[in-house]
Amino acid sequence: EVNWEYLHLVTHPFAIVLPIVGAAVGLVGWIAGRDELERYGLLSLMIAAVAAIPSYITGISTADDVAARTFVEPGLVQDHRTWATWAAITLVTCGIFAGFSMAQPKDQRLRRFVLIVGALAAGLVGYSAFRGGKILHGEGGAGAAAVTVEAVAIQTFDEVEAR
C-alpha cells in the first residue's frame, strides 16, 4: 500500500546517506588537498538538499497518523519532527550554497565553508535519523507485535510474582 508513511520510508535514506558521505569525502579532500573530492562533497550536498525536500514533506504528511498509533511512544514523533525540521533547513541552505560554490570553482574559501556547514547539516540529519529510527512503523505489523510480546511478558512476570 502506497501512503505517506511508505513514501517517507522510501525517500529518506537518500537525504541521510548523501550529506554524511558528501561532507566526509569533501573534508577528506580538503585535508588531502584534492579539489575533486571537495567538489564531489559539494555535489553530494547539493543532491542531498534536493532529496531532503520530498523526505521532509512525506514525513510531515505522515507524522500525525504515526503519532496517533497506540504503540508509538508519545512525543517521539514530535521530537523527530523538530530535529528533522532543523536538519532540513540546514541541509537545504547548505545545498543552495553548494550550488553557488560549484558555480565559483576557484573560490576555495566558499567551498570549504560549505563543507563545514555540510558537516553540521550531516550531524543534524544523522541525529534526526537516529530519533526517527526509534519510531515503530506498520499498522499492526512488527511494531505492534513487539509491544504485544512485551506486554504479555510483563503480565506473565506479574502473575509469577503474585504467586
Side-chain angles (χ1 to χ4, degrees):
E1 175 183 343
V2 177
N3 56 26
W4 288 116
E5 182 178 10
Y6 175 78
L7 290 173
H8 181 65
L9 293 173
V10 170
T11 60
H12 81 275
F14 300 103
I16 295 170
V17 173
L18 282 171
I20 294 170
V21 171
V25 170
L27 292 172
V28 166
W30 178 2
I31 292 167
R34 307 240 339 244
D35 286 348
E36 63 275 7
L37 292 180
E38 290 181 43
R39 285 194 299 272
Y40 170 83
L42 293 176
L43 183 61
S44 292
L45 290 168
M46 203 165 55
I47 295 169
V50 172
I53 295 168
S55 178
Y56 183 76
I57 290 170
T58 58
I60 292 298
S61 298
T62 194
D64 292 334
D65 292 338
V66 172
R69 295 195 184 130
T70 57
F71 59 87
V72 174
E73 181 182 327
L76 190 57
V77 174
Q78 182 59 38
D79 186 48
H80 174 55
R81 184 188 327 200
T82 300
W83 284 103
T85 300
W86 285 111
I89 290 168
T90 309
L91 186 55
V92 170
T93 303
C94 182
I96 292 167
F97 279 108
F100 184 70
S101 179
M102 296 282 283
Q104 307 290 326
K106 294 187 189 282
D107 192 347
Q108 197 174 52
R109 289 185 308 166
L110 174 61
R111 184 170 60 231
R112 292 178 175 173
F113 171 75
V114 172
L115 291 173
I116 291 169
V117 174
L120 171 67
L124 287 171
V125 166
Y127 186 71
S128 173
F130 171 73
R131 300 301 301 161
K134 296 187 178 304
I135 298 171
L136 301 174
H137 292 280
E139 293 191 36
V147 172
T148 303
V149 168
E150 182 179 331
V152 169
I154 290 170
Q155 181 183 8
T156 305
F157 181 75
D158 288 344
E159 289 172 0
V160 169
E161 260 188 352
R163 291 182 195 170

